[in-house]
Amino acid sequence: MTLFYNHYSNDFTIMEKQLNELKNWIESLEFISNEINYFIKFSQEEDDNTDFYTSFTQIKEDNIDFLILLKNYSNSIENSIECIDLDCDAYYLNEHEYYRDQYVDFLRAYNNLKLKTLKKTFELKD
């Protein structure tokens, strides 16, 4: 856990929090990447899971693309410390919010697919 001290500027504190959040997103997506591989392998072995195989293959590609996007974003986030006006600060805050929304949307889609797969596999009813 990162500690923040009173002598840190607001800009530095915000940037550090954003970097920590971004690190967590990337770690989560890397774990999901491994998890997806198991779902793909499982869906290949089951004859009636071709739809799930296709869906997991697509979401794996989306995950890889999103990971690349977030890693590129992490390289640019440190530029936010150099902002000298509110427009610049707002730009970086809005950009971070955009990526947060994309991350949440991706997790929802992935979790929904995973839940559908598990329900069908274990024939659970709503």
Side-chain angles (χ1 to χ4, degrees), residues 75-99:
N75 294 331
S76 71
I77 201 171
E78 292 182 14
N79 293 335
S80 67
I81 198 75
E82 296 176 12
C83 287
I84 57 173
D85 61 18
L86 290 178
D87 287 338
C88 180
D89 287 336
Y91 169 80
Y92 283 103
L93 287 173
N94 288 333
E95 185 177 37
H96 193 77
E97 288 298 316
Y98 169 79
Y99 287 115

Side-chain angles (χ1 to χ4, degrees), residues 18 21 28 31-32 35 37-38 52 58 60-62 79 86 89 91 97 99 112 116 122-123:
Q18 288 176 338
E21 186 174 37
S28 173
F31 175 83
I32 287 171
E35 192 175 49
N37 290 330
Y38 288 106
F52 290 126
Q58 180 59 54
K60 180 179 181 165
E61 291 175 18
D62 294 344
N79 293 335
L86 290 178
D89 287 336
Y91 169 80
E97 288 298 316
Y99 287 115
N112 286 336
K116 284 180 192 175
F122 297 105
E123 297 189 26

Side-chain angles (χ1 to χ4, degrees), residues 1-115:
M1 181 172 136
T2 304
L3 296 176
F4 297 100
Y5 300 99
N6 289 337
H7 66 277
Y8 289 170
S9 71
N10 287 341
D11 291 339
F12 179 81
T13 302
I14 290 169
M15 183 194 68
E16 282 297 309
K17 285 183 175 187
Q18 288 176 338
L19 283 169
N20 286 337
E21 186 174 37
L22 183 57
K23 179 183 170 206
N24 290 333
W25 297 343
I26 290 170
E27 286 176 2
S28 173
L29 292 175
E30 287 172 342
F31 175 83
I32 287 171
S33 182
N34 290 326
E35 192 175 49
I36 289 171
N37 290 330
Y38 288 106
F39 278 104
I40 288 173
K41 184 176 180 182
F42 172 75
S43 61
Q44 282 177 320
E45 294 172 356
E46 299 294 318
D47 292 333
D48 61 341
N49 284 337
T50 56
D51 290 342
F52 290 126
Y53 174 77
T54 303
S55 297
F56 277 110
T57 302
Q58 180 59 54
I59 210 157
K60 180 179 181 165
E61 291 175 18
D62 294 344
N63 187 51
I64 291 168
D65 292 344
F66 195 42
L67 268 168
I68 291 168
L69 191 67
L70 288 180
K71 287 177 181 179
N72 288 337
Y73 169 59
S74 71
N75 294 331
S76 71
I77 201 171
E78 292 182 14
N79 293 335
S80 67
I81 198 75
E82 296 176 12
C83 287
I84 57 173
D85 61 18
L86 290 178
D87 287 338
C88 180
D89 287 336
Y91 169 80
Y92 283 103
L93 287 173
N94 288 333
E95 185 177 37
H96 193 77
E97 288 298 316
Y98 169 79
Y99 287 115
R100 179 183 292 123
D101 291 344
Q102 296 299 311
Y103 173 74
V104 169
D105 290 346
F106 176 83
L107 279 185
R108 276 192 192 112
Y110 174 66
N111 287 334
N112 286 336
L113 176 60
K114 187 166 64 169
L115 187 59

